[in-house]
Amino acid sequence: MSAPFEDLDPAGPSPEDRVNALRGYKATISNPRTSDSAKQHAREMIDSLGGDQPREDLYQMRNPTKDPVRTAGGLKAATKNPRVTEGGKNRAQEKLGVMAEPSE
């Protein structure tokens, strides 16, 4: 069996095409009118397309890397904002801690 979208574009499917295909397969799985064999095929296709990886690729393509200095500034502001809940302040503080750790 050939790979999905192999004959569409020699450069390979775009991230949008892969995300749209995943949407269709996920709809097949949740449709009560589809057969068990169709649902199993949809699960296999989702696995072969990489699960949610196409969605993450599309996000990265549309949203280039954010400036870490601005991200840290926003998180720091959230920890001092009186309108942010205590849980939100704690999550912002945790993210700041993760950003400050040296990456391996």
Side-chain angles (χ1 to χ4, degrees), residues 49-98:
L49 288 173
D52 279 338
Q53 186 61 41
R55 180 174 294 143
E56 294 169 17
D57 293 344
L58 183 61
Y59 177 79
Q60 289 299 323
M61 185 178 78
R62 290 184 176 169
N63 301 311
T65 307
K66 296 178 181 176
D67 182 10
V69 174
R70 290 181 181 264
T71 302
L75 291 170
K76 189 173 181 181
T79 62
K80 298 182 184 299
N81 187 337
R83 296 177 74 183
V84 175
T85 65
E86 286 303 314
K89 289 179 181 182
N90 291 337
R91 284 189 300 278
Q93 190 64 45
E94 288 172 8
K95 289 180 181 181
L96 271 171
V98 169

Side-chain angles (χ1 to χ4, degrees), residues 4-44:
F5 309 111
E6 187 175 275
D7 56 346
L8 294 179
D9 186 0
S14 70
E16 289 93 352
D17 290 339
R18 292 176 26 208
V19 169
N20 287 336
L22 283 172
R23 287 180 183 141
Y25 292 130
K26 288 179 180 182
T28 298
I29 291 172
S30 63
N31 186 344
R33 292 183 167 190
T34 57
S35 67
D36 289 336
S37 63
K39 289 180 181 184
Q40 180 60 33
H41 179 261
R43 286 185 192 97
E44 291 169 4

